[in-house]
């Protein structure tokens, strides 16, 4: 069975959590005891309707304040596939949690409050979705009940969004628009009379139609980061040495000539195994063990790539970075850079530009990059990394930045 | 090949029409390998329930033909179902893993934990004390647990690598961003990480996996006869560990358990399900969620979050 990963986005109170609650409710994904708990919690808040946002806002602080603070992961299935939804916070302060939720998504559901239209946070989230290269964006114009289900208002918002989106939309990224009311369940899983003017299908049907392109990773250059060396040292497997890892991108086959990075040694794949099964091929995202024909030196952090598809060896990179820490990033700072499973010390050589995500204007050489800001930076690494440009091969083109002292994850970067 | 993962246990229906999303297994194995590589003293927290049994299977597959490079740690409340203990002892032999058991009773004897009183007395919350002591004793820097995000609303907020402080506490507001599949397990002295490889699995995914892998389970998951009594509209296994009221009179019933924790906090369901297919059918049509049968969650609306703040799984 297929899995489709989705993330919600959009400004605070635009109705993301309510929408997810509604989707669960209408697909009968909520059991009776959870529904009863929801009724009781809604009553305690003095509401005379079901507050569906309480289904995902699971933290005490979230329920008190009525906002989402951290990502919740929610699951439901249809006969077509399994859905994993990351319900993310809209509040600016928690943008880093939004990025966490969106990083694995193939579809971004961006909510807009029909009364307020496109606001700064709507666009910031669209910008982040595009930076992550999420192939499909569905703009859900929510709270249509509050604008009398007006087609004119819907068209206005669509136009507003398209106008500014054009500046960052990448080729191949699809944007669709769906009018909904999460509170009243209009056009969530089925079309309703209220919006008879709308010619498209409901939100769930739009999702069901989406043809997941995960397999596309298989068409990228073949990359296999070695996570762990398996050496049983038992009598039966005396000389066994297998390289365990998950194929990041591309496809590996038995017999392929490979290059070990960084050593540059060459060998051929003698076996691909998944537990007690021997495979002919391993595709992107599969966890396998690869054995080589010759005795070359391979350890954790090395990468096997197909001969003729070697990535460039980088000591210095320029990248787009979203900063995720309260303490701002300044030039000259030393950090740890984790690329896939590999890490190295890195030094910030320069902050090259700061992007104003509302106007798309770039200011050059900013003095710092503050929490949730996005900018271009230049880094120098203590040892080389073997990365692709994020645009060309996302699975091998992103990295995280880690504070050397607190060990916290403080930034995410995308290789130019 | 070992009988843990016995191919003869795989029903024909699963061979013909597998539905478990294998992507989830690839993800969990990737996480297991990261734990082995990033930490010095990792362990699997083993409760004897289906989720931790699934973890053992995943660890076995991740390192095969090598052995599982972590010990299994069981925090024994002393209120277990005997079938769970028998299964545990069989399993560690079968996969050749090291087993470490630490007892809640010892924590009570040492005066570190206090037995609850009254009819709802349970040792569930006390486990945390024993667990934190075991973490300190063995200097575990990573503990792999079988918690899933679909179980409970506070768990839905968990990261895959969940950093805990000296006291094992979870601070929801200070969670690290977790991007793509890059796992950052770096910690400072005294801190440790809880790791949840099956975060993205649902209850149904676990059952389908167990079915398609041919994993044997403790017998209490399947329909059987046992003395039960009713309390708060649920059925409880009669045992010396539960303080019964005089009007709570046990009788024989045909039941099974959907989730396995302590005898004091896990309710039974009436069931005739003797095969995995029957169990999966029951889950698909169930009106009550898995943790609806867990008294430990019902104590208050935020019971889980509060326990996690105290260092619970
Ligand atoms: N009238 C109307 N109200 C709605 C609709 N959808 C959501 N709301 C209300 O809008 C408020 C905010 O909804 P949430 O679902 O919490 O918003 P959110 O986008 O998840 O907010 P954050 O997660 O904090 O960013 C709640 O009071 C909802 O009941 C809708 O379609 N119509
Ligand atoms: Mg919300």
């Amino acid at each position: 069975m297929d899995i489709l990963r989705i993330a919600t986005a959009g400004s605070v109170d635009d109705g993301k959590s309510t929408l997810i609650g509604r989707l669960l409710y209408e697909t009968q994904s909520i059991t009776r005891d959870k529904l009863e708990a929801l009724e009781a919690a809604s009553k305690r808040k003095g509401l005379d309707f079901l507050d569906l946002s309480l289904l995902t806002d699971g933290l005490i602080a979230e329920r008190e304040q009525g906002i989402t603070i951290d990502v919740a992961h929610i699951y439901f299935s249809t006969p077509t596939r399994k859905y994993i939804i990351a319900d993310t916070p809209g509040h600016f302060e928690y943008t880093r949690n939004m990025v966490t939720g969106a990083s694995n998504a193939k579809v971004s559901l961006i909510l807009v409050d029909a009364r307020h239209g496109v606001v700064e946070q709507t666009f910031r989230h669209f910008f982040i979705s595009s930076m992550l290269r999420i192939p499909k964006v569905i703009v859900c114009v929510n709270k249509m009940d509050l604008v009398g289900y007006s087609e004119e208002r819907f068209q206005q918002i669509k136009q507003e969004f398209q106008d500014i989106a054009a500046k960052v939309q990448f080729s191949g990224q699809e944007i669709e628009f769906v009018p909904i009311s999460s509170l009243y369940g209009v056009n969530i899983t089925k079309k309703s009379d209220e919006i008879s003017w709308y010619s498209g299908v409901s939100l769930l049907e739009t999702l069901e139609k989406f043809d997941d392109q995960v397999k596309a990773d298989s068409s990228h250059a073949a990359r296999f980061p070695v996570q762990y060396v398996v050496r049983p040292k038992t009598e039966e497997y005396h000389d066994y040495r297998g390289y365990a890892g998950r194929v990041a991108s591309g496809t590996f086959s038995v017999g392929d000539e490979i290059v070990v990075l960084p050593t540059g040694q060459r060998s051929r794949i003698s076996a691909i195994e998944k537990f007690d099964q021997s495979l002919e091929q391993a595709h992107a995202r599969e966890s396998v063990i690869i054995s080589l024909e010759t005795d070359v030196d391979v350890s954790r952090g090395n990468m096997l790539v197909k001969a003729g598809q070697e990535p460039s060896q980088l000591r210095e990179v320029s990248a787009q970075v979203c900063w995720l820490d309260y303490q701002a990033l300044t030039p000259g700072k030393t950090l740890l850079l984790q690329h896939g499973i590999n890490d190295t010390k890195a030094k910030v050589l320069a902050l090259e530009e700061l992007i104003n995500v509302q106007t798309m204007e770039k200011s050059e050489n900013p003095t710092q990059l503050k929490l949730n800001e996005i900018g271009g930076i230049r880094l120098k690494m203590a040892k080389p990394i073997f990365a692709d440009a994020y645009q060309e091969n996302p699975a091998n083109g992103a990295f995280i930045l880690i504070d050397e002292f607190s060990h916290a994850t403080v930034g995410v970067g995308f290789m130019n | 090949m070992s009988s843990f993962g016995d191919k003869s246990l795989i029903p024909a229906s699963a061979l013909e029409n597998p539905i478990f999303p294998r992507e989830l297994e690839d993800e969990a194995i990737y996480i297991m390998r990261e734990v082995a590589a990033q930490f010095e003293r990792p362990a699997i927290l083993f409760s004897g329930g289906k989720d931790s049994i699934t973890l053992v299977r995943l660890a076995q597959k991740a390192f095969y033909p090598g052995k599982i490079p972590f010990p299994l740690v069981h925090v024994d409340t002393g209120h277990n179902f005997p079938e769970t203990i028998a299964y545990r002892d069989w399993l560690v032999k079968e996969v050749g893993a090291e087993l470490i058991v630490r007892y809640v009773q010892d924590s009570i004897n040492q005066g570190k934990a206090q037995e609850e009183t009254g009819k709802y007395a349970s040792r569930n919350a006390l486990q945390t004390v024993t667990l934190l002591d075991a973490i300190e004793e063995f200097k575990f820097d990573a503990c792999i647990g079988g918690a899933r995000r679909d179980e409970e609303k506070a768990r839905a907020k968990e990261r895959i690598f969940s950093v805990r402080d000296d006291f094992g506490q979870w601070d929801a507001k200070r969670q690290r961003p977790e991007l793509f599949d890059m796992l950052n397990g770096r910690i400072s002295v005294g801190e440790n990480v809880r790791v949840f490889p099956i975060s993205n699995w649902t209850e149904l995914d676990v059952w389908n996996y167990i079915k398609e892998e041919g994993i044997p389970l403790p017998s209490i998951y399947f329909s059987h006869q046992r003395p039960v009594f009713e309390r708060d509209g649920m059925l409880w296994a009669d045992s010396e560990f539960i303080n019964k009221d005089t009007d709570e009179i046990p009788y024989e019933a045909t039941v099974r358990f959907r989730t396995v924790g302590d005898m004091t906090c896990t309710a039974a369901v009436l069931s005739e399900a003797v095969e995995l297919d029957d169990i999966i059918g029951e889950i698909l049509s169930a009106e009550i969620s898995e943790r609806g049968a867990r008294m430990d969650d019902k104590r208050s609306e935020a019971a889980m979050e509060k326990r996690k703040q105290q260092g619970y799984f």
Side-chain angles (χ1 to χ4, degrees), chain B residues 93-118:
Chain B
K93 272 212 205 86
E94 199 59 44
V95 300
E98 180 194 349
L99 175 70
I100 295 172
V101 184
R102 284 295 174 269
Y103 299 89
V104 171
Q105 187 62 51
D106 290 342
S107 303
I108 295 172
N109 295 347
Q110 291 159 11
K112 289 176 173 164
Q114 195 168 5
E115 192 93 77
E116 294 178 358
T117 54

Tab-separated table of all heavy atoms in Angstrom, chain B residues 93-118:
chain	number	residue	atom	x	y	z
B	93	LYS	N	15.844	-16.051	23.828
B	93	LYS	CA	16.624	-17.227	23.411
B	93	LYS	C	16.601	-17.370	21.909
B	93	LYS	O	17.611	-17.625	21.270
B	93	LYS	CB	16.017	-18.491	24.042
B	93	LYS	CG	16.591	-18.781	25.401
B	93	LYS	CD	16.624	-20.297	25.646
B	93	LYS	CE	16.589	-20.595	27.136
B	93	LYS	NZ	15.216	-20.643	27.669
B	94	GLU	N	15.405	-17.211	21.367
B	94	GLU	CA	15.178	-17.405	19.943
B	94	GLU	C	16.036	-16.445	19.097
B	94	GLU	O	16.617	-16.844	18.096
B	94	GLU	CB	13.689	-17.156	19.677
B	94	GLU	CG	13.166	-17.717	18.408
B	94	GLU	CD	13.320	-19.219	18.292
B	94	GLU	OE1	13.036	-19.941	19.274
B	94	GLU	OE2	13.744	-19.649	17.213
B	95	VAL	N	16.110	-15.185	19.482
B	95	VAL	CA	16.872	-14.224	18.675
B	95	VAL	C	18.286	-14.009	19.214
B	95	VAL	O	19.065	-13.247	18.640
B	95	VAL	CB	16.160	-12.848	18.537
B	95	VAL	CG1	14.805	-13.010	17.880
B	95	VAL	CG2	16.019	-12.157	19.883
B	96	GLY	N	18.602	-14.661	20.321
B	96	GLY	CA	19.947	-14.545	20.875
B	96	GLY	C	20.273	-13.162	21.392
B	96	GLY	O	21.381	-12.662	21.226
B	97	ALA	N	19.281	-12.521	22.014
B	97	ALA	CA	19.524	-11.170	22.546
B	97	ALA	C	19.800	-11.244	24.044
B	97	ALA	O	19.469	-12.210	24.710
B	97	ALA	CB	18.313	-10.286	22.278
B	98	GLU	N	20.430	-10.166	24.527
B	98	GLU	CA	20.685	-10.076	25.960
B	98	GLU	C	19.442	-9.478	26.624
B	98	GLU	O	18.832	-8.550	26.106
B	98	GLU	CB	21.888	-9.156	26.183
B	98	GLU	CG	22.259	-8.969	27.640
B	98	GLU	CD	23.220	-7.789	27.846
B	98	GLU	OE1	23.751	-7.262	26.837
B	98	GLU	OE2	23.412	-7.397	28.998
B	99	LEU	N	19.051	-10.024	27.785
B	99	LEU	CA	17.880	-9.498	28.494
B	99	LEU	C	18.297	-8.921	29.840
B	99	LEU	O	19.043	-9.550	30.592
B	99	LEU	CB	16.850	-10.617	28.717
B	99	LEU	CG	15.632	-10.234	29.564
B	99	LEU	CD1	14.711	-9.270	28.828
B	99	LEU	CD2	14.851	-11.483	29.984
B	100	ILE	N	17.831	-7.710	30.109
B	100	ILE	CA	18.068	-7.103	31.420
B	100	ILE	C	16.700	-6.854	32.039
B	100	ILE	O	15.828	-6.251	31.402
B	100	ILE	CB	18.821	-5.758	31.276
B	100	ILE	CG1	20.226	-5.993	30.705
B	100	ILE	CG2	18.891	-5.031	32.612
B	100	ILE	CD1	20.976	-4.718	30.352
B	101	VAL	N	16.484	-7.345	33.262
B	101	VAL	CA	15.201	-7.108	33.917
B	101	VAL	C	15.440	-6.297	35.185
B	101	VAL	O	16.360	-6.583	35.949
B	101	VAL	CB	14.502	-8.443	34.289
B	101	VAL	CG1	13.122	-8.172	34.871
B	101	VAL	CG2	14.391	-9.334	33.067
B	102	ARG	N	14.651	-5.274	35.373
B	102	ARG	CA	14.705	-4.504	36.611
B	102	ARG	C	13.291	-4.447	37.176
B	102	ARG	O	12.326	-4.339	36.430
B	102	ARG	CB	15.260	-3.094	36.374
B	102	ARG	CG	16.785	-3.092	36.177
B	102	ARG	CD	17.500	-3.548	37.461
B	102	ARG	NE	18.934	-3.711	37.310
B	102	ARG	CZ	19.552	-4.853	36.961
B	102	ARG	NH1	18.829	-5.931	36.685
B	102	ARG	NH2	20.849	-4.911	36.884
B	103	TYR	N	13.198	-4.523	38.509
B	103	TYR	CA	11.905	-4.733	39.138
B	103	TYR	C	11.377	-3.513	39.872
B	103	TYR	O	12.090	-2.900	40.671
B	103	TYR	CB	12.007	-5.904	40.127
B	103	TYR	CG	12.392	-7.184	39.439
B	103	TYR	CD1	13.738	-7.535	39.279
B	103	TYR	CD2	11.418	-8.025	38.912
B	103	TYR	CE1	14.095	-8.702	38.617
B	103	TYR	CE2	11.771	-9.197	38.252
B	103	TYR	CZ	13.114	-9.526	38.103
B	103	TYR	OH	13.460	-10.676	37.445
B	104	VAL	N	10.119	-3.196	39.614
B	104	VAL	CA	9.467	-2.104	40.334
B	104	VAL	C	9.454	-2.421	41.832
B	104	VAL	O	9.634	-1.540	42.675
B	104	VAL	CB	8.031	-1.882	39.804
B	104	VAL	CG1	7.264	-0.913	40.687
B	104	VAL	CG2	8.070	-1.371	38.369
B	105	GLN	N	9.294	-3.716	42.149
B	105	GLN	CA	9.285	-4.114	43.563
B	105	GLN	C	10.563	-3.645	44.276
B	105	GLN	O	10.517	-3.190	45.413
B	105	GLN	CB	9.141	-5.644	43.668
B	105	GLN	CG	8.953	-6.153	45.097
B	105	GLN	CD	7.664	-5.609	45.742
B	105	GLN	OE1	6.588	-5.701	45.170
B	105	GLN	NE2	7.788	-5.009	46.924
B	106	ASP	N	11.694	-3.740	43.585
B	106	ASP	CA	12.953	-3.294	44.202
B	106	ASP	C	12.919	-1.789	44.483
B	106	ASP	O	13.406	-1.343	45.520
B	106	ASP	CB	14.149	-3.615	43.292
B	106	ASP	CG	14.405	-5.118	43.225
B	106	ASP	OD1	13.908	-5.848	44.124
B	106	ASP	OD2	15.082	-5.564	42.274
B	107	SER	N	12.365	-1.031	43.535
B	107	SER	CA	12.277	0.418	43.756
B	107	SER	C	11.391	0.707	44.962
B	107	SER	O	11.643	1.630	45.730
B	107	SER	CB	11.704	1.127	42.532
B	107	SER	OG	12.470	0.846	41.394
B	108	ILE	N	10.333	-0.094	45.107
B	108	ILE	CA	9.431	0.094	46.263
B	108	ILE	C	10.184	-0.252	47.551
B	108	ILE	O	10.166	0.507	48.523
B	108	ILE	CB	8.165	-0.780	46.109
B	108	ILE	CG1	7.352	-0.295	44.897
B	108	ILE	CG2	7.322	-0.743	47.385
B	108	ILE	CD1	6.180	-1.182	44.530
B	109	ASN	N	10.896	-1.385	47.514
B	109	ASN	CA	11.650	-1.797	48.705
B	109	ASN	C	12.703	-0.771	49.101
B	109	ASN	O	12.970	-0.561	50.276
B	109	ASN	CB	12.332	-3.150	48.477
B	109	ASN	CG	11.317	-4.272	48.288
B	109	ASN	OD1	10.118	-4.092	48.557
B	109	ASN	ND2	11.775	-5.418	47.802
B	110	GLN	N	13.280	-0.121	48.084
B	110	GLN	CA	14.311	0.883	48.381
B	110	GLN	C	13.703	2.215	48.804
B	110	GLN	O	14.416	3.184	49.048
B	110	GLN	CB	15.181	1.127	47.129
B	110	GLN	CG	16.059	-0.049	46.759
B	110	GLN	CD	16.488	0.001	45.280
B	110	GLN	OE1	16.303	1.008	44.599
B	110	GLN	NE2	17.062	-1.092	44.802
B	111	GLY	N	12.381	2.268	48.832
B	111	GLY	CA	11.713	3.508	49.249
B	111	GLY	C	11.709	4.589	48.187
B	111	GLY	O	11.400	5.746	48.449
B	112	LYS	N	12.048	4.220	46.928
B	112	LYS	CA	12.088	5.222	45.859
B	112	LYS	C	10.722	5.415	45.217
B	112	LYS	O	10.462	6.420	44.577
B	112	LYS	CB	13.072	4.790	44.777
B	112	LYS	CG	14.509	4.883	45.232
B	112	LYS	CD	15.406	4.352	44.139
B	112	LYS	CE	16.857	4.580	44.466
B	112	LYS	NZ	17.735	3.742	43.627
B	113	ALA	N	9.894	4.395	45.344
B	113	ALA	CA	8.563	4.478	44.767
B	113	ALA	C	7.580	3.986	45.811
B	113	ALA	O	7.922	3.154	46.653
B	113	ALA	CB	8.465	3.591	43.519
B	114	GLN	N	6.380	4.519	45.745
B	114	GLN	CA	5.399	4.118	46.737
B	114	GLN	C	4.188	3.481	46.079
B	114	GLN	O	3.639	4.016	45.121
B	114	GLN	CB	4.976	5.329	47.560
B	114	GLN	CG	4.265	4.888	48.807
B	114	GLN	CD	4.072	6.021	49.790
B	114	GLN	OE1	4.389	7.172	49.507
B	114	GLN	NE2	3.556	5.682	50.951
B	115	GLU	N	3.809	2.339	46.614
B	115	GLU	CA	2.668	1.610	46.067
B	115	GLU	C	1.410	2.461	46.178
B	115	GLU	O	1.180	3.090	47.203
B	115	GLU	CB	2.494	0.334	46.883
B	115	GLU	CG	1.566	-0.675	46.294
B	115	GLU	CD	2.311	-1.708	45.438
B	115	GLU	OE1	2.936	-2.622	46.004
B	115	GLU	OE2	2.256	-1.565	44.212
B	116	GLU	N	0.605	2.478	45.119
B	116	GLU	CA	-0.664	3.207	45.194
B	116	GLU	C	-1.677	2.386	45.995
B	116	GLU	O	-1.529	1.175	46.119
B	116	GLU	CB	-1.211	3.450	43.779
B	116	GLU	CG	-0.343	4.385	42.954
B	116	GLU	CD	-0.858	4.594	41.522
B	116	GLU	OE1	-1.886	3.977	41.139
B	116	GLU	OE2	-0.224	5.367	40.798
B	117	THR	N	-2.686	3.068	46.511
B	117	THR	CA	-3.705	2.340	47.266
B	117	THR	C	-5.060	2.560	46.620
B	117	THR	O	-5.196	3.350	45.687
B	117	THR	CB	-3.767	2.843	48.726
B	117	THR	OG1	-3.955	4.258	48.688
B	117	THR	CG2	-2.495	2.529	49.476
B	118	GLY	N	-6.066	1.848	47.114
B	118	GLY	CA	-7.417	2.028	46.593
B	118	GLY	C	-7.697	1.082	45.447
B	118	GLY	O	-6.822	0.328	45.021
